Amino acid sequence: MVAVSLLVSSAAFASAMTRNTSKTADGTSVDGPVTADANNSTTQTDNTTADTGWTAPRADGGRTGATDDSGPTPYPQSAWNRATTINEVTIAVGNETVFTVVDDDSNRLAALNSSTGEQRWTRPNNTEQNPEYRITSGPFVAGETVYVGTTADLYSTEPNTILAYNATTGALRWDQNVTTGALAFDGEYLYGSSVAVNTTTGEVVWNTSLSGRAVAVADGQLYVVQRPGYDDVEEKRLVAVNATNGTVLWNRSVSRNVNLDRFVATADGLYATGPQFGPDSAKLLAYDPTDGSLSWSKTFDSQFDAFQDQPPDSTSALAVDNGTVYVTVYDKLTIGLYGPLERSTIYAIDAESSESRWQYRKDVHLSGPSVTNGSVYLAAKDPTGPKENILSHSSRMGLFSLDTTDGTEWWNYTHTREGVALYDASEPPMVANGHVYATVNAYIGISGGDVLFAFNATDQPIQPAHQFQSSNTAPYPRVNVSPADYGPNETVTLNASESVDVDGQVVAYEWDVDDDRTYERTGMEINVTTPKSSSTSRYIRLRVIDDDNASSDEHSDPVLPGVTLQPTSDSCE
């Protein structure tokens, strides 16, 4: 499984090209072709300006996933794509350059031209003295400098190091040993749990003994997570630190089931979800930044109306902007051997009251949200696209743009990349001044890797061939027998109320009671008589019809939609 990343760029697209190798600033040859989209022939909208809005993973120091910039206007189109080998791509943008880690083995930081995808330079994750370092934080961009945090190999005695490179040339500006590999960033300083480093000089501003992992910085406060040890399974701690001098402001116990890896910090509130997967995942929590106390907690129900007693499959990373918290709740449902059926809902939640402002639902796997200048962006895989491997994964993915006011869809766009089998699209897009990035897990042939897709802005409306196609899904039949234990020649009740229509409702129930493919009876519930002997059986077939007149017979699933009645013994007791 790998990650496919998408880049939407408003910069003018260069002429179509394919490069098998490229040269770094120091002359190193790097494989990984850059392939232009041969179908890119529509008019370009050139609104190229300096990239300033996505300077760190999740946009800023607070990890809000929101900027004041905008995506492709008025429409997107595919431009180029590039293969890499990272499973979870993080990106920062500055000076019309995309900065990302491009190789899982050598862990190289790369600078890519945001308009063409051409590699400008690449650097090892250190000063070439110690190959044991691995990039674990960043990249971060401030002005003409790009930064990464590195962590020593598990068995290394070397310290963690912050590395600062010239964003244009890739030349090393400075390096600084620190006691933590995880970093938060506010443009002026890089913070570990126990250290603050000046981004201009590389000098340590303050240093403490606080352990943990820095997760965010906002409004003068640094937030550090302290995880429990193996003997402490009940809680972890969230610590607020004065970002100016490193003093602890408060230290709050937090349930172990709160996912602080997706923590968001703003001046007005702190936000987190439950664990990414599992029964406790469907929670959104808000905390007071003055003392860490819980402000409110919100729980989401199943995205399938007929299964409200079951929790959703997962929740996404958050975006917070202008008093609204955005989150995608994903649900996956299997009915017998039917499915899995996928459904995602993005919720816009009032950050103060926890009330829902609007919802947008789609029967695809939507990513987490990112917000820019009145638009919410999401990535998705398109399950209706061409199938690329034995698991029938689609090779088509795309983007959605929604109105932040009411969730109205501005547009959606899909693109097919042959040879790539998409797995999911859980990571949020990243948006910076006309660019959109997203990570989609995928298989490339039978091996792992990433594909970085690029899209340019165009003034040409999106054609139907490049849009997610809405279609009605036929309903799924389900039969319950009561009583479950029965003898021969007894009356039992067959109930079809748990039959499901994922995009509407079931309106008719038809029963073939003698297995002749003719449906003699109707109704949600019927009574029938069991066979007279345990040596015989009786098959009752169910067909359900939805409000779009689609029948469950349309499914190609080989499982027969009904129930076989056969007494377990000849006793009537």
Side-chain angles (χ1 to χ4, degrees), residues 38 64 132 139 198 203 209 218 308 311 343 353 370 378 421 479 505 513:
T64 64
E132 295 180 317
N198 185 295
E203 296 177 343
S209 60
Q308 289 300 295
R343 172 168 290 176
S353 69
S370 292
L378 307 108
V479 182
Q505 59 182 342
V513 298

Side-chain angles (χ1 to χ4, degrees), residues 292-421:
S293 61
L294 181 68
S295 300
W296 52 259
S297 176
K298 186 178 184 68
T299 301
F300 300 99
D301 296 325
S302 170
Q303 304 305 291
F304 297 97
D305 294 339
F307 294 87
Q308 289 300 295
D309 58 333
Q310 301 179 16
D313 187 71
S314 65
T315 52
S316 73
L318 305 173
V320 182
D321 184 54
N322 196 28
T324 303
V325 182
Y326 301 87
V327 62
T328 300
V329 178
Y330 170 68
D331 218 347
K332 184 169 58 177
L333 177 66
T334 299
I335 306 173
L337 294 182
Y338 294 115
L341 314 175
E342 294 183 306
R343 172 168 290 176
S344 301
T345 303
I346 177 171
Y347 293 87
I349 305 297
D350 186 286
E352 183 175 356
S353 69
S354 78
E355 295 297 321
S356 178
R357 290 178 168 169
W358 55 258
Q359 303 173 21
Y360 174 87
R361 178 169 289 180
K362 203 75 174 177
D363 287 338
V364 296
H365 190 172
L366 293 174
S367 73
S370 292
V371 181
T372 64
N373 194 28
S375 294
V376 181
Y377 290 92
L378 307 108
K381 68 173 183 179
D382 183 356
T384 67
K387 302 301 187 286
E388 282 292 340
N389 64 3
I390 61 174
L391 298 177
S392 296
H393 289 303
S394 170
S395 61
R396 182 183 297 153
M397 59 73 55
L399 299 169
F400 286 82
S401 176
L402 311 179
D403 187 344
T404 56
T405 303
D406 57 10
T408 300
E409 182 180 303
W410 293 120
W411 50 254
N412 73 72
Y413 181 84
T414 66
H415 178 69
T416 299
R417 206 275 196 179
E418 294 182 0
V420 174

Side-chain angles (χ1 to χ4, degrees), residues 53-92:
W54 204 280
T55 57
R58 298 306 291 143
D60 52 29
R63 300 179 62 83
T64 64
T67 77
D68 293 329
D69 294 329
S70 59
T73 303
Y75 304 106
Q77 67 172 358
S78 178
W80 53 264
N81 62 78
R82 179 188 181 91
T84 65
T85 59
I86 298 295
N87 288 336
E88 295 183 7
V89 175
T90 57
I91 295 172

